[in-house]
Amino acid sequence: MTERLGGHRPPPELDLDAIIDDRNTRIIVCCGSGGVGKTTTAAALGLRAAERGRSAVVLTVDPARRLAQSMGLTELDNTPRPVAGVEGPGELHAMMLDMKRTFDEIIEAHADPERAQQILSNPFYQSLSSSFAGTQEYMAMEKLGQLRRTGEWDLIIVDTPPSRSALDFLDAPERLGRFLDGRFIRLLMAPAKAGGRSAFKLFNAGFGFVAGALNKLLGAQLIKDLQTFVSALDAVFGGFRARAEQTYRLLQAPGTAFVVVAAPERDAMREASYFVERLAEERMPLAGLVVNRVHRSPMSGLTAARSCAAAEDLEARGEHELTSAVLRLHADRMQLAAREHREQEHFSSAHPTVPVTQVPAMPTDVHDLEGLREVGALLAEPRSSAAA
């Protein structure tokens, strides 16, 4: 909408075509709370970029089955696969993050074969690599770094993991680091750091009470497995932190663009607001906000109040029941559109310089390339055209 409502100046317009056409843009990160259409947005941007000449890869996380099939991801794995049906000079690859496989690849690449096998077969590693809080977000950053280092694609589009908070993606490396640096982990690592059998005697002498209590609580074999796991990982985790820091710096670089995705609902817009503020704190380059599933009406000149009044008049006279029902449906839609617009106004009042684009609600789910192509066109559509 281009008109001013409530006295507010419309926000700047987000020009996504300019971003994907800019060869200096190497990474686009789609972020936001869960269920707002991040994956569809990432896939649509990837297809549009490829059809405009970019060599693009979309790193997606747990796409809906129909969306996965639309991109040729019927066999989901950790390797980028070409997407057939791209109409244009570029090419598109897509992959789904396999969290545990990415973790395994890191261990295999940064530990000798004997130590790698010791880690991979350890029950604590198996639990950490598949269920530790933040592991999925951390591995998404790891995979992004891997894709960037290959140099095979000139544009990487990342669909950040669905999580309780959109901020988890940025917090994951620090959270994993805090776990590894924690007092309990350092206590378990102490014997290995001191070296040799005498170190374990020293450990048992110095921490006999703690070790005894843990053995009673958890069992001797469990403690032994945990000590083996921690000592085996000791040499590997330094590389984890270093690569996490490299990827973090990559996210701050000028060639990266963060696209915050939201639905026009209170919680999603509030989460988008938090994320915009966090990106500013971390000095990360924000491209703008995509508001998905916006409800519009082709009869915007007919207000909800007038529509309800007309319906009441028809009902009072006992005439045109169908027309009355249509008028009430229209009134409901206009009221919904008004609520959505208020939520967007709250965001833009707090962040008046953040560029915004809107994607109207679609009648069906996206389940093929044509649907993704339509979403891509809507993402890039100028606001004046959308309002027409």
Side-chain angles (χ1 to χ4, degrees):
M1 299 180 185
T2 56
E3 69 272 15
R4 299 185 185 188
L5 293 181
H8 292 286
R9 182 185 298 274
E13 193 165 309
L14 175 59
D15 188 347
L16 285 166
D17 274 352
I19 292 168
I20 61 179
D21 289 345
D22 184 353
R23 294 284 169 162
N24 292 320
T25 302
R26 304 299 302 275
I27 296 171
I28 295 175
V29 182
C30 295
C31 50
S33 55
V36 296
K38 289 195 304 289
T39 303
T40 301
T41 299
L45 286 174
L47 178 62
R48 190 167 181 85
E51 295 189 335
R52 295 172 73 88
R54 301 297 298 267
S55 174
V57 58
V58 175
L59 167 58
T60 188
V61 181
D62 193 24
R65 182 179 299 276
R66 281 186 293 182
L67 180 60
Q69 291 172 344
S70 75
M71 300 188 71
L73 294 176
T74 50
E75 295 181 8
L76 300 175
D77 59 20
N78 216 32
T79 304
R81 304 289 182 188
V83 175
V86 173
E87 299 173 356
E91 59 181 33
L92 177 63
H93 285 71
M95 63 168 290
M96 176 179 169
L97 178 73
D98 183 330
M99 177 178 69
K100 189 176 188 312
R101 183 62 209 142
T102 300
F103 215 145
D104 291 350
E105 288 171 357
I106 297 165
I107 300 300
E108 291 164 355
H110 295 90
D112 61 74
E114 183 179 352
R115 176 170 288 185
Q117 186 54 44
Q118 188 180 23
I119 295 171
L120 294 174
S121 61
N122 187 279
F124 278 94
Y125 167 76
Q126 292 170 1
S127 176
L128 175 72
S129 61
S130 59
S131 60
F132 181 72
T135 303
Q136 190 177 49
E137 287 82 2
Y138 180 90
M139 289 305 143
M141 292 189 72
E142 270 283 350
K143 184 55 70 174
L144 167 61
Q146 289 177 14
L147 294 172
R148 186 69 176 87
R149 286 190 292 273
T150 68
E152 190 172 341
W153 298 276
D154 63 29
L155 179 62
I156 302 167
I157 300 176
V158 183
D159 160 37
T160 55
S163 57
R164 184 192 59 79
S165 169
L167 306 181
D168 288 348
F169 181 66
L170 296 176
D171 288 334
E174 183 184 351
R175 188 185 304 118
L176 193 58
R178 281 200 307 268
F179 167 74
L180 299 171
D181 288 332
R183 185 178 302 173
F184 181 53
I185 295 297
R186 284 188 275 117
L187 178 68
L188 290 166
M189 199 176 284
K193 284 185 175 292
R197 191 178 297 275
S198 61
F200 279 95
K201 290 181 181 177
L202 179 64
F203 175 78
N204 287 328
F207 302 99
F209 175 77
V210 175
L214 288 173
N215 281 338
K216 287 180 181 179
L217 182 65
L218 302 175
Q221 184 59 47
L222 197 65
I223 293 298
K224 183 179 178 183
D225 285 343
L226 184 53
Q227 286 178 328
T228 301
F229 161 66
V230 171
S231 61
L233 279 176
D234 186 25
V236 179
F237 272 140
F240 272 48
R241 290 194 191 89
R243 286 191 308 282
E245 289 171 5
Q246 288 172 3
T247 305
Y248 209 72
R249 288 194 296 271
L250 189 63
L251 292 175
Q252 291 176 316
T256 298
F258 278 84
V259 174
V260 178
V261 183
E265 301 157 5
R266 181 165 301 175
D267 289 346
M269 295 300 290
R270 184 180 293 130
E271 194 79 11
S273 187
Y274 291 154
F275 205 93
V276 165
E277 291 162 10
R278 175 67 184 278
L279 289 172
E281 289 174 13
E282 303 291 338
R283 300 189 304 279
M284 291 189 172
L286 171 67
L289 172 72
V290 170
V291 185
N292 264 334
R293 304 170 190 153
V294 174
H295 290 88
R296 298 171 179 159
S297 173
M299 298 172 60
S300 56
L302 178 59
T303 66
R306 287 175 60 196
S307 186
C308 283
E312 288 172 3
D313 182 53
L314 289 172
E315 289 162 2
R317 289 186 287 167
E319 300 175 358
H320 303 287
E321 291 183 8
L322 180 59
T323 304
S324 173
V326 170
L327 285 167
R328 290 203 176 276
L329 282 173
H330 174 74
D332 290 343
R333 190 178 183 89
M334 292 299 291
Q335 288 167 350
L336 174 60
R339 286 197 302 272
E340 291 178 349
H341 186 72
R342 284 195 296 271
E343 295 301 334
Q344 294 174 73
E345 272 202 338
H346 291 154
F347 175 91
S348 293
S349 295
H351 309 284
T353 63
V354 174
V356 176
T357 193
Q358 298 176 341
V359 177
M362 300 182 72
T364 60
D365 290 339
V366 175
H367 60 273
D368 56 17
L369 283 187
E370 192 54 47
L372 287 177
R373 198 170 282 120
E374 182 181 354
V375 173
L378 291 169
L379 282 164
E381 189 176 60
R383 194 159 40 214
S384 56
S385 300

